[in-house]
Amino acid sequence: MFVSDSLNVNKEGHLTIGGADTLDLAKNFGTPLIVYSEDGIRKNFKFFNSSIQEYYGGNGRVLYASKAFCCKEMCRIAESENAGLDVVSGGEIYTALSVGFPEDRLYFHGNNKTYNELEYAVKSGVGRIIADNIEEIKTLESLAEKYGKKIDVYLRVKPGIDAHTHKFIRTGQIDSKFGFALETGEAMDAVRECTKSKKLNLCGMHCHIGSQIFDPSPFVLAAEVMMKFLSDIQRETGITITELDLGGGFGIKYTENDKPVGLDGYMRPVSEQIKKSAEKYSLPVPYILLEPGRSIAAAEAVTLYTVGAVKKIPNIRNYVSIDGGMTDNPRYILYQAEYTVLNAGKADALPDTTVTVAGKCCETGDLIQENAKIKEVKAGDILAVLTTGAYCYSMASNYNRVERPEVVFVTDGIPRTVIRRETYEQMAQNDI
Ligand code: LLP
């Protein structure tokens, strides 16, 4: 019935997540509130792990892309599910290390890592550093020298593939700020630069073609392009690269209009391509890394808001204002992202009105959804926005000095806070 299996409706007609009543959650924890089903998150990790087992005989690892939603508890869960982490900043590395996440399972990405971040990563023994540009390779060489360490490096490669998704979240094409281009020879030059150095161990290649991609074919194409590159590297330098990180980006269902192919729909054709290409180029099948973010976290959360003002503008639109908005979910203002919106107290009732859900910021574009079909709500009702587990809290801001919401995980129907609600004091604590 819903976009996620973690959701249901109880006999009172209230929306539940992970077995907990969303109206009780809103009452007990306040709103806005982001609620995750921990069971749902774990189920997704297990699904990816068993897929690696099935399609690559276990020769690979899932790296949760922590940019989707990063907090200590999420790192603990990823750790206990035997995943690695794709981290993109000193802050994400810090969060993982602060809960004892094994440093060798951290893969450090980013198109412009600062010297301090790289130094922190090297000092902490982060497992793999995915170099994005020549300057970074040079910095890594000098850090390896400084710390007397050999550094395991991947290169981020732009495979030259234009995936069909929103232009802001497309990354594999040549006109992208991420990585080394294949077409121009830049990627091979970077390989040579790494292999010149005795301190850098070039052990893998990485690509990520974009996010929320439904069609498996660009992933298959990227797999072939990357395997061909491994073959070119072997021919030109004699080095066999044995690790291949294929990134994330698997599309998920936000509304009934989305028709994802499911994990098998990507894994089967991509793994077949990898094996075929390995044979064609006489290469070993590499150790495969996948970096799901959205497909681990998004569908396992809802955001609960309290409805405030309801403004009916005849023949124009009906605004339903909520106590959050772009500060906890900037995805509509950024990408016009579609969401399923529900009256949480009447979750099984058929929609009878069309509304525009407006946030509380002084910004006309601060909307969560336009023309959403819902069961009518009035002031004081709880509105649920589904599938908000990825790129919402992690992209939250304090615009208008609005505090970031509390985040709760539900396990076996029992909720617990994993991120406290921000306070006014905390927001002002760095002001002098
Ligand atoms: N690996 C790399 C190198 C990435 O850059 C990303 C996402 C992922 C993995 C995970 O992709 P996922 O499986 O979550 O699609 N803020 C945007 C999404 C930006 C994605 C950035 N990189 C949004 O809200 O849709």
Side-chain angles (χ1 to χ4, degrees):
M1 158 178 197
F2 286 119
V3 286
S4 163
D5 292 343
S6 295
L7 304 174
N8 219 326
V9 182
N10 63 16
K11 58 180 189 313
E12 287 84 28
H14 301 173
L15 178 71
T16 64
I17 176 159
D21 184 319
T22 53
L23 262 52
D24 290 345
L25 289 164
K27 198 162 119 206
N28 297 334
F29 292 89
T31 59
L33 185 70
I34 303 181
V35 189
Y36 283 82
S37 159
E38 178 179 347
D39 306 331
I41 295 169
R42 288 191 182 276
K43 185 194 71 204
N44 292 341
F45 273 114
K46 289 184 174 54
F47 200 34
F48 270 95
N49 284 343
S50 58
S51 201
I52 295 259
Q53 198 61 43
E54 181 176 350
Y55 294 106
Y56 295 102
N59 190 37
R61 192 186 280 282
V62 174
L63 309 176
Y64 167 61
S66 57
K67 72 208 80 179
F69 172 57
C70 181
C71 69
K72 290 181 177 179
E73 192 65 352
M74 203 57 195
C75 293
R76 290 187 194 104
I77 291 174
E79 199 283 318
S80 71
E81 294 295 338
N82 210 21
L85 287 183
D86 147 7
V87 288
V88 285
S89 66
E92 288 188 352
I93 296 174
Y94 172 84
T95 307
L97 294 178
S98 70
V99 294
F101 197 95
E103 61 277 8
D104 59 321
R105 274 156 50 190
L106 296 179
Y107 288 62
F108 188 20
H109 290 281
N111 69 305
N112 193 25
K113 306 170 194 75
T114 65
Y115 181 86
N116 285 350
E117 286 177 318
L118 286 168
E119 184 170 45
Y120 178 40
V122 169
K123 272 171 47 184
S124 317
V126 157
R128 300 283 185 271
I129 299 184
I130 294 83
D132 179 279
N133 51 69
I134 290 286
E135 288 74 19
E136 227 170 57
I137 295 175
K138 297 208 159 99
T139 306
L140 287 172
E141 282 172 345
S142 74
L143 285 167
E145 203 62 57
K146 180 169 173 190
Y147 289 98
K149 279 189 174 182
K150 197 148 181 164
I151 303 176
D152 291 327
V153 174
Y154 285 10
L155 297 182
R156 169 137 189 187
V157 173
K158 293 188 238 196
I161 290 162
D162 201 347
H164 296 124
T165 186
H166 194 287
K167 70 176 190 299
F168 289 176
I169 54 177
R170 215 183 282 159
T171 54
Q173 71 285 4
I174 187 163
D175 181 7
S176 162
K177 68 173 181 169
F178 299 102
F180 298 98
L182 279 181
E183 294 101 310
T184 59
E186 191 188 23
M188 191 58 87
D189 289 346
V191 169
R192 288 198 197 90
E193 182 68 34
C194 289
T195 53
K196 266 193 339 217
S197 161
K198 291 200 175 30
K199 291 283 186 189
L200 302 183
N201 173 33
L202 183 65
C203 53
M205 289 293 141
H206 167 263
C207 71
H208 169 78
I209 56 173
S211 199
Q212 185 64 350
I213 301 168
F214 289 110
D215 178 6
S217 52
F219 289 100
V220 175
L221 201 58
E224 159 55 15
V225 169
M226 293 303 285
M227 289 300 286
K228 176 170 183 310
F229 188 48
L230 298 196
S231 160
D232 293 345
I233 294 172
Q234 198 181 49
R235 202 184 49 247
E236 297 248 340
T237 68
I239 289 174
T240 306
I241 300 289
T242 54
E243 299 176 27
L244 181 58
D245 184 338
L246 294 170
F250 317 110
I252 60 127
K253 188 169 178 168
Y254 283 90
T255 71
E256 290 306 325
N257 300 332
D258 296 327
K259 307 269 183 261
V261 293
L263 188 52
D264 287 336
Y266 299 104
M267 293 296 274
R268 181 170 299 113
V270 172
S271 61
E272 279 166 6
Q273 184 61 56
I274 293 279
K275 287 169 201 162
K276 216 158 55 184
S277 304
E279 212 175 300
K280 175 163 135 198
Y281 300 118
S282 303
L283 289 171
V285 173
Y287 184 80
I288 297 290
L289 290 311
L290 296 177
E291 298 174 338
R294 194 190 309 270
S295 42
I296 294 278
E300 308 313 327
V302 298
T303 306
L304 305 175
Y305 300 102
T306 301
V307 172
V310 177
K311 284 186 189 155
K312 296 188 177 174
I313 311 179
N315 303 322
I316 302 196
R317 64 167 95 211
N318 299 335
Y319 281 102
V320 165
S321 293
I322 50 167
D323 52 355
M326 63 182 281
T327 44
D328 57 80
N329 183 355
R331 296 193 70 254
Y332 191 77
I333 200 166
L334 282 174
Y335 322 114
Q336 302 73 52
E338 289 192 356
Y339 283 104
T340 304
V341 179
L342 280 180
N343 178 338
K346 295 178 181 165
D348 52 0
L350 288 175
D352 56 2
T353 181
T354 301
V355 301
T356 287
V357 180
K360 70 195 292 296
C361 286
C362 296
E363 183 92 18
T364 302
D366 174 23
L367 305 174
I368 290 290
Q369 203 61 195
E370 285 177 279
N371 304 321
K373 300 207 172 357
I374 61 165
K375 174 76 188 161
E376 188 159 25
V377 285
K378 54 180 184 341
D381 284 348
I382 300 300
L383 191 90
V385 180
L386 313 189
T387 334
T388 55
Y391 306 110
C392 289
Y393 192 90
S394 63
M395 296 205 296
S397 75
N398 290 131
Y399 182 43
N400 290 178
R401 287 242 150 156
V402 173
E403 65 277 31
R404 282 176 298 175
E406 182 150 342
V407 182
V408 161
F409 276 17
V410 177
T411 312
D412 297 328
I414 312 291
R416 68 180 187 287
T417 297
V418 300
I419 305 179
R420 291 186 200 99
R421 190 174 300 284
E422 215 165 24
T423 62
Y424 297 152
E425 221 172 16
Q426 285 166 338
M427 281 189 288
Q429 74 189 352
N430 292 324
D431 297 8
I432 291 165

